[in-house]
Amino acid sequence: MSREPSAAPVQGNTLQILSIVCFTFLGFMSIGIPMAVLPGLIHHDLGFSTLVAGLVIGLQYLVTLLVRPFSCRVIDSAGPKPALVYGLTGCALGGLLMLLATLWPALPLLGLLILVLSRLVLGAAHSVLGASAIAWGIGQVGSAGTARVISWNGIASYGAIGLGAPLGVWLVERYGLPWMGASVLLIALCGLALAWRKAGVPVVVGERLGFMSVLGRVGPYGLTMALGTLGYGTIAAFVTLYYDSRGWAWAEYAMTAFGLSFIAARLLFAQAIDRLGGYRVGIACLLVEGGGLLLLWAAPGPLSAMLGAGLSGFGFSLVFPALGVEAVKSTPASNRGAAIGAYSLFLDLALGVAGPLIGLLIGSHGFRSIFLVCALASFLGLGLTLALQYRSTRQPAAVEAEPATVEVD
């Protein structure tokens, strides 16, 4: 390794960003492809209960949460490219294990144990994958492109899950269960081949803060983002049941409206964060999301509810990158990976607790109430964003102006 002189950030173009976040897309196919297949495999083909199926599926997300502090350290110390290679390697191994789990249908317990191991490996892989792609992208185009990198990385991850689910169903129906794991393995190997040939970015040399210290700095931004994420988790999990409870048709189009609005806002307005700043965009987005959730709560019919879902998706789309930009600024550049990982941890927590908490609320107050509560959560997040913006005017940012770097491949 050789020490490189400091350099001003270089404004990269969209193609540079896409050349990095494509690895997130390829890696997150390992979530999307088995999403609609795995529950049926465990419950129907292997013969275990739905409780067991839920536990096995949820195990991956628990591991991601637990391993994330270590993964963040890997990104900052080894560099984003090696960390991403580790993540893609884990995706390939997870796909291989899924393939092996389907080869001996007469031994269901063995198949279940192999699937458990697969979920453990995939959980560890995904704890590093998205954050390393973001850190690599920022290192490639400079800190001025942080908002665009986070935005495009989100499109890549959500797009992979959205496309992977129907692809997994089609492959299994057309070619059989082993293709669930085989496709994940092949896609991850393609990602590894592409990543191996791509040049890395320098490791930023500087003070390495402990993960808990980084967590304390980005925590206010993560908490605010989590309040906005509750609406997304609730719509994704319960909007179909909400439509059913009201006797409405077209529930699937509510999620379509949410998804299309989400992608459209990220494509059209991601650069607004660079022009206006993360705080202003975050405030506007939480306001729009809260209004959409209120419309869902008060909707007299399915079309107005669909409009509410669309507004919620439009508002939620830039909450993560807008507040993420400010979260990254709160730590020295040498802790960029840890900052991204700690911030993402709040997304994991929000999605993890949304289901149980909202489920309890439905049991006591019915389906309509959940959207009112989520709207209030968005407005609370708006208030916290205003407080963070005020605080930022009273103290300087913590980012190192010209960090030293060490070149790595």
Side-chain angles (χ1 to χ4, degrees), residues 74-75 78-92 124-125 128-129 192:
V74 172
I75 297 170
K81 177 184 172 179
L84 187 139
V85 168
Y86 298 152
L88 287 173
T89 302
C91 291
V128 71
L129 193 61
L192 281 169

Side-chain angles (χ1 to χ4, degrees), residues 65-294:
L65 189 65
L66 295 176
V67 177
R68 198 176 287 279
F70 171 76
S71 300
C72 296
R73 183 60 60 191
V74 172
I75 297 170
D76 286 329
S77 59
K81 177 184 172 179
L84 187 139
V85 168
Y86 298 152
L88 287 173
T89 302
C91 291
L93 179 56
L96 176 61
L97 290 168
M98 278 192 282
L99 170 61
L100 294 175
T102 61
L103 296 182
W104 298 283
L107 300 172
L109 183 58
L110 176 63
L112 182 70
L113 292 176
I114 296 176
L115 283 176
V116 167
L117 182 58
S118 172
R119 302 302 284 180
L120 292 173
V121 172
L122 287 171
H126 283 280
S127 72
V128 71
L129 193 61
S132 60
I134 292 174
W136 192 353
I138 295 173
Q140 184 80 34
V141 304
S143 59
T146 297
R148 289 183 298 137
V149 173
I150 295 176
S151 295
W152 277 109
N153 194 72
I155 292 173
S157 58
Y158 286 109
I161 294 172
L163 292 176
L167 175 62
V169 173
W170 180 82
L171 285 171
V172 169
E173 290 178 348
R174 184 74 180 267
Y175 301 106
L177 273 171
W179 274 91
M180 175 183 67
S183 59
V184 170
L185 171 61
L186 292 173
I187 291 171
L189 289 177
C190 288
L192 281 169
L194 293 172
W196 199 265
R197 298 167 59 87
K198 191 169 181 62
V201 294
V203 173
V204 180
V205 176
E207 179 188 5
R208 303 292 185 199
L209 301 175
F211 183 78
M212 295 307 296
S213 176
V214 175
L215 185 64
R217 295 191 183 199
V218 306
Y221 307 95
L223 176 60
T224 303
M225 179 267 295
L227 289 168
T229 303
L230 282 177
Y232 160 66
T234 300
I235 291 174
F238 297 108
V239 73
T240 301
L241 295 177
Y242 174 59
Y243 265 63
D244 289 341
S245 72
R246 303 292 298 271
W248 296 339
W250 309 332
E252 64 273 20
Y253 295 113
M255 274 308 301
T256 300
F258 182 96
L260 291 177
S261 299
F262 179 96
I263 294 173
R266 286 215 169 179
L267 291 175
L268 295 174
F269 297 108
Q271 293 188 0
I273 300 174
D274 296 329
R275 297 195 306 269
L276 303 176
Y279 292 119
R280 290 181 179 178
V281 173
I283 290 166
C285 286
L286 287 166
L287 182 62
V288 172
E289 183 187 4
L293 290 165
L294 282 178

Side-chain angles (χ1 to χ4, degrees), residues 7-25:
V10 178
Q11 185 74 16
N13 56 40
T14 301
L15 288 179
Q16 286 179 292
I17 297 172
L18 292 177
S19 72
I20 302 298
V21 302
C22 69
F23 299 118
T24 296
F25 179 86

